[in-house]
Amino acid sequence: MLSGTGPADPAEPAVPAGDEPAVPAGDADELRQRARDFLASHDPATLPKLGFLRARFDAGLAWVHYPPGLGGLSLPRSLQSVVDAEFAAAGAPDNDPIRNGIGLGMAAPTILASGTDEQKQRWLRPLWTGEEVWCQLFSEPGAGSDLAGLATRAVRDDAGQDWRVSGQKVWTSLAHRARWALLVARTDPDVPKHAGLTYFACDMTDPGVEVRPLRQLTGEAEFNEVFLTDVVVRDRDRIGEVGEGWRVAQGTLMNERVAIGGGALPREGGTVGIVAAAWRAHPELRTPGLHDRLIRLWADAEIARLATERLRQQLAAGQPGPEGSAAKIVFARLNQELSALELELSGADGLRYDDWSQSRTETVSFVTRGPGYRYLRARGNSIEGGTSEILRNIIAERVLGLPAEPRTDTRVPWKDLPR
Ligand SMILES: Cc1cc2nc3c(=O)[nH]c(=O)nc-3n(C[C@H](O)[C@H](O)[C@H](O)COP(=O)(O)OP(=O)(O)OC[C@H]3O[C@@H](n4cnc5c(N)ncnc54)[C@H](O)[C@@H]3O)c2cc1C
């Protein structure tokens, strides 16, 4: 799952104009003017923040690649930076993207691709404005990498209309803040595991939802265990057909990998910039060995940045494919190696830890915490959103066309699988 520690940290400067994909100048000029007209009639200094954000959404200036009526103008995704630059220059408030990373990076594209028109109208606006935070109820104690084996059950209620959901989820980031959750549950245990799943939006205010914090390596409790006991889920909140949950979840997961590993960055943005600054600040700690490591990682980070930029341009044309897995693997490895190097370059300061309280911060930011935090938090990067081992399997099978892992559990009814 997604955390705010990916490179798309809004504390980072935007990609310089020279690195943006080419867009027709006419479109960009027209859009710039549209943003200026909007700002002229909606003064960000005097309007309340929520009213301003809602109006921006209604004007199609929220995410320009979304359809009209849903916050966009059906324009190329690459034009978003034109709008964002105008709003930033005017000092306009943004929608705090890190606060609702799962909503923006995963729920929104899932709803857009697989939701009904009514669901899109109901959920996308409060999601984009930040009024409704989303979380992801996928992983379970017995189903992480093997997500299709999950055991949370959804059964039709007595009237045969809505659903009753019971089970346990785990590692649920932001569940303590969320109004809605992306939920995958088993609706048919009598068919093979992938075929018996259905995808829902779960109302996190239902009395059957219990959220308990889980303290992690860094001290804080970013994520939770979530116990679901007879939770009522309306059939109108089902996303996709009954039994199609695996297909819908694949879309969410591919977007998740791009959201974690595919952010736009300037050169020396993200962790590599922090490490380069530490190198410049501590000449007394330099050794030829550390210099060699820094140069290698700096070059790797630059290659990853440029490759990600190409991936983002491909994405502008449609939903992400398995290639996003590569960006996520590289991001995780680099973040771990760079944060380890930063710790060494911090000398004795690297042994200090800035905040050991079990905080429940809304936004996880690599930038605002110390080197010890970055080192520890980066360990999770190769687990969240799919482990690096699983992503290598995906690349091997779906990108390189190598033979699939032998699987013995894909034709047997889920209820007969050993657990
Ligand atoms: C910071 C963080 C935030 C998270 N947030 C969320 C969230 O919001 N929502 C959510 O649903 N989940 C979330 N997760 C859970 C995450 O998706 C799972 O931890 C992850 O999918 C791995 O599952 P697991 O922990 O059950 O490990 P397992 O699946 O038990 O894996 C254990 C080890 O075995 C390896 N392994 C397993 N199967 C194979 C295989 N076939 N081939 C090779 N190696 C294999 C794995 O790579 C791993 O090293 C989060 C995790 C972290 C660390």
Side-chain angles (χ1 to χ4, degrees):
M1 126 42 322
L2 175 81
S3 75
T5 57
D9 195 326
E12 296 295 342
V15 179
D19 289 349
E20 285 169 13
V23 291
D27 283 358
D29 290 346
E30 214 171 289
L31 186 61
R32 190 172 295 110
Q33 192 53 49
R34 204 171 174 131
R36 285 179 186 167
D37 291 346
F38 175 86
L39 287 162
S41 56
H42 298 81
D43 182 2
T46 54
L47 272 176
K49 177 176 171 177
L50 184 57
F52 180 85
L53 291 173
R54 285 179 177 163
R56 177 175 169 177
F57 185 95
D58 295 340
L61 296 169
W63 32 31
V64 297
H65 56 294
Y66 274 56
L70 297 175
L73 296 165
S74 292
L75 287 171
R77 195 186 192 126
S78 50
L79 282 171
Q80 185 66 38
S81 56
V82 173
V83 174
D84 290 346
E86 289 301 318
F87 279 76
D94 71 12
N95 59 349
D96 293 335
I98 285 190
R99 242 189 95 240
N100 197 10
I102 295 172
L104 292 163
M106 295 147 64
T110 303
I111 294 164
L112 187 67
S114 300
T116 62
D117 288 345
E118 187 271 326
Q119 289 171 342
K120 291 174 196 171
Q121 290 294 342
R122 188 153 51 98
W123 284 326
L124 289 177
R125 189 179 190 245
L127 184 163
W128 187 84
T129 58
E131 289 161 81
E132 293 183 348
V133 170
W134 287 68
C135 69
Q136 177 196 24
L137 290 171
F138 278 25
S139 304
E140 298 184 0
S145 301
D146 180 23
L147 180 64
L150 61 82
T152 292
R153 285 281 279 120
V155 290
R156 290 274 191 190
D157 64 13
D158 293 341
Q161 279 184 341
D162 295 325
W163 301 83
R164 292 278 176 165
V165 178
S166 295
Q168 184 190 347
K169 298 287 179 175
V170 73
W171 319 127
T172 318
S173 308
L174 289 174
H176 51 296
R177 306 252 181 240
R179 171 69 178 79
W180 290 99
L182 301 171
L183 167 73
V184 188
R186 186 157 305 281
T187 42
D188 188 351
D190 296 322
V191 295
K193 61 180 184 176
H194 294 90
L197 301 173
T198 301
Y199 201 115
F200 301 95
C202 172
D203 181 348
M204 293 294 283
T205 63
D206 186 281
V209 177
E210 187 191 348
V211 176
R212 295 186 198 164
L214 282 173
R215 195 170 196 213
Q216 65 206 62
L217 186 65
T218 52
E220 66 198 337
E222 233 180 283
F223 48 39
N224 306 272
E225 352 177 54
V226 179
F227 296 86
L228 306 169
T229 310
D230 259 344
V231 175
V232 177
V233 175
R234 306 278 171 217
D235 195 54
R236 69 179 189 141
D237 295 340
R238 172 169 47 78
I239 303 178
E241 297 302 318
V242 174
E244 273 208 331
W246 185 247
R247 179 191 64 76
V248 181
Q250 286 308 299
T252 308
L253 292 173
M254 297 216 191
N255 277 293
E256 177 172 23
R257 285 153 200 164
V258 172
I260 296 176
L265 280 181
R267 177 173 289 175
E268 263 197 30
T271 315
V272 72
I274 297 171
V275 179
W279 172 262
R280 290 174 190 126
H282 291 283
E284 75 285 1
L285 294 174
R286 294 177 190 172
T287 65
L290 289 178
H291 190 227
D292 185 58
R293 266 169 70 191
L294 176 69
I295 296 297
R296 281 169 197 275
L297 289 172
W298 194 97
D300 285 355
E302 182 58 7
I303 292 166
R305 185 182 77 83
L306 294 171
T308 301
E309 199 50 47
R310 195 169 50 193
L311 178 71
R312 289 170 64 82
Q313 289 179 35
Q314 288 166 1
L315 274 185
Q319 287 286 316
E323 296 82 1
S325 298
K328 202 260 163 178
I329 290 180
V330 172
F331 160 74
R333 179 183 67 79
L334 273 172
N335 234 17
Q336 290 176 351
E337 292 190 21
L338 283 163
S339 57
L341 181 58
E342 186 199 3
L343 214 57
E344 290 184 50
L345 287 172
S346 305
D349 281 347
L351 295 175
R352 291 210 182 95
Y353 200 70
D354 52 1
D355 179 6
W356 191 248
S357 64
Q358 185 186 303
S359 66
R360 301 277 267 167
T361 43
E362 282 201 12
T363 56
V364 181
S365 175
F366 250 29
V367 184
T368 53
R369 294 284 303 266
Y373 172 83
R374 280 188 278 279
Y375 177 76
L376 293 182
R377 183 56 185 81
R379 302 300 104 193
N381 291 158
S382 52
I383 304 173
E384 58 196 313
T387 69
S388 293
E389 291 79 14
I390 293 299
L391 299 185
R392 283 193 195 94
N393 277 349
I394 291 174
I395 292 168
E397 292 176 24
R398 294 197 225 147
V399 180
L400 302 176
L402 295 175
E405 261 194 295
R407 293 187 179 105
T408 54
D409 57 358
T410 51
R411 291 173 198 281
V412 188
W414 175 83
K415 66 176 174 22
D416 297 332
L417 292 174
R419 265 186 295 283

